[in-house]
């Protein structure tokens, strides 16, 4: 599990014991500066900010998201999860997949739509987290998947969201990754349709359309909080994710070598301990 967490940058786990109010619903797609925004929001708000990084690690996430994927969670389950996790905000999948439902459940919460140039977004997803998904589904990651099986853990209980249908309906039956796999034209259209739907359906006084390059000012004004000193965070860019993918591949390759070597050594030492049947011809 720690390998996957490191791969996507799950390294900032804010401790939260006091009960907090859930005040900000992230409605932006992954790879729109959500990791940097996570870091920023956990500086600005009293509680935690949910993100796919946290979904890969949390004990509550391991229980909640498989049920959510099966459509088995009710409004009280959502509110229980958010309260128990101590969330002030959420960005990125899995929670931004459910932005419309969350907006109805929390009518006083504001909505943050993180955006960027859609063509650059396509390339970012394609060259970073999509490569992670492709590798995890490949034979190369078999040792890692076996390790999850042996430890009884699930490899990413919320990762289903990247292929899940969205509020955009049957136009994109396989969700974000389906649009990415269909090519740049479809992916850009998916991004623009997603953005337009959020802007259309969220009241203007509840919505901030935000690019991380805008820095602290619009976000702090929107939340009504004091602007911190120092630059706006910049984390988990494409180059960083690609480096982590390379690290994971090397680890899995090493596990393949160790595993096959162990099988070979075991076969060598056991070759004389297994009695073969004797066949007599008369």
């Amino acid at each position: 599990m720690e390998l996957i967490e490191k791969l996507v940058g799950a390294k900032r786990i804010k401790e939260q014991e006091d009960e907090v109010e859930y005040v900000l619903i992230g409605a932006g797609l992954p790879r729109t500066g959500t990791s940097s925004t996570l870091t920023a929001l956990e500086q600005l708000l009293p509680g935690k900010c949910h993100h796919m990084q946290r979904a890969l690690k949390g004990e509550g996430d391991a229980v909640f998201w498989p049920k959510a994927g099966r459509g088995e969670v009710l409004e009280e389950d959502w509110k229980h999860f958010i309260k128990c996790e101590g969330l002030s905000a959420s960005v990125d999948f899995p929670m931004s997949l459910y932005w419309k439902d969350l907006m109805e459940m929390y009518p006083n919460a504001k909505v943050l739509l993180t955006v960027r140039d859609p063509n650059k977004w396509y390339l970012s997803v394609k060259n970073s987290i999509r490569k992670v998904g492709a590798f995890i589904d490949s034979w190369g990651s078999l040792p890692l998947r076996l390790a999850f099986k042996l430890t009884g853990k699930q490899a990413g209980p919320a990762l289903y969201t990247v292929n899940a249908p969205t509020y955009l309906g049957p136009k994109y039956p396989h969700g974000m990754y389906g649009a990415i796999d269909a090519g740049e034209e479809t992916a850009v259209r998916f991004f623009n349709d997603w953005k337009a739907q959020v802007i259309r359906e969220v009241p203007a006084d509840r919505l901030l359309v935000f690019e991380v390059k805008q820095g602290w000012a619009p976000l702090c004004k929107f939340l009504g909080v004091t602007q911190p000193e120092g630059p706006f965070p910049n984390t988990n860019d494409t180059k960083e994710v690609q480096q982590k993918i390379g690290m994971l591949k090397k680890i899995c390759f090493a596990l393949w070598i160790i595993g096959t070597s162990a099988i070979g050594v075991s076969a060598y030492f056991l070759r004389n301990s297994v009695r073969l049947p004797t066949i007599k011809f008369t």
Side-chain angles (χ1 to χ4, degrees):
M1 181 65 77
E2 290 182 0
L3 291 175
I4 298 293
E5 293 159 13
K6 290 178 180 179
L7 180 65
V8 296
K11 55 189 177 183
R12 298 171 299 279
I13 301 300
K14 182 177 181 179
E15 298 298 330
Q16 178 60 40
E17 296 180 357
D18 298 330
E19 186 173 333
V20 295
E21 183 181 2
Y22 181 61
V23 298
L24 188 65
I25 300 164
L29 290 163
R31 305 306 297 169
T32 55
T34 54
S35 179
S36 299
T37 306
L38 156 69
T39 306
L41 290 172
E42 292 202 337
Q43 292 183 48
L44 298 175
L45 299 174
K48 300 175 185 177
C49 179
H50 198 274
H51 186 283
M52 184 64 83
Q53 297 176 13
R54 194 179 296 280
L56 292 169
K57 186 178 182 69
E59 293 181 7
D61 292 275
V63 175
F64 181 80
W65 293 111
K67 291 178 63 179
R70 296 191 298 268
E72 297 174 357
V73 294
L74 304 174
E75 180 173 334
E76 54 262 37
D77 300 314
W78 275 103
K79 290 186 173 180
H80 178 75
F81 172 76
I82 288 170
K83 180 180 179 180
C84 290
E85 292 297 309
L87 301 181
S88 287
S90 59
V91 293
D92 202 86
F93 281 6
M95 288 188 69
S96 67
L97 182 69
Y98 300 94
W99 64 267
K100 189 186 295 189
D101 291 278
L102 290 168
M103 193 173 69
E104 294 177 0
M105 287 182 237
Y106 293 88
N108 295 323
K110 295 185 176 183
V111 179
L112 178 68
L113 175 61
T114 47
V115 296
R116 66 185 300 185
D117 176 271
N119 297 93
K120 291 181 179 179
W121 170 80
Y122 162 73
L123 292 174
S124 178
V125 176
K126 179 184 176 183
N127 294 322
S128 60
I129 56 175
R130 188 66 188 100
K131 288 185 180 296
V132 175
F135 178 69
I136 291 174
D137 291 337
S138 72
W139 281 99
S141 71
L142 182 61
L144 185 63
R145 287 183 278 129
L146 287 175
F148 279 117
K149 283 279 188 181
L150 293 173
T151 57
K153 294 181 178 180
Q154 185 175 355
L159 290 177
Y160 73 87
T161 53
V162 295
N163 290 108
T166 72
Y167 297 125
L168 295 173
K171 187 176 180 180
Y172 304 102
H174 302 294
M176 183 180 76
Y177 275 4
I180 294 295
D181 293 344
E184 184 168 1
E185 182 178 349
T186 300
V188 169
R189 185 168 62 249
F190 171 82
F191 182 95
N192 288 331
D193 287 350
W194 177 288
K195 177 182 175 181
Q197 184 183 45
V198 174
I199 294 173
R200 183 174 62 250
E201 299 193 19
V202 180
D205 61 345
R206 290 183 66 182
L207 177 66
L208 174 65
V209 181
F210 177 69
E211 292 190 53
V212 292
K213 66 182 181 182
Q214 294 175 287
W216 290 110
L219 186 60
C220 293
K221 181 180 179 180
F222 183 61
L223 294 172
V225 297
T226 303
Q227 181 173 324
E229 296 182 2
F232 194 86
N234 180 18
T235 64
N236 212 37
D237 61 17
T238 299
K239 183 177 180 181
E240 184 179 344
V241 175
Q242 289 174 338
Q243 290 172 344
K244 292 170 183 175
I245 295 171
M247 178 187 71
L248 183 63
K249 287 182 177 180
K250 289 178 182 178
I251 292 172
C252 286
F253 181 69
L255 290 174
W256 269 113
I257 294 175
I258 293 170
T260 53
S261 298
I263 293 172
V265 170
S266 298
Y268 176 82
F269 284 104
L270 290 173
R271 73 190 192 286
N272 294 324
S273 63
V274 178
R275 176 174 291 183
L276 298 175
T278 302
I279 301 175
K280 294 183 178 181
F281 296 94
T282 57

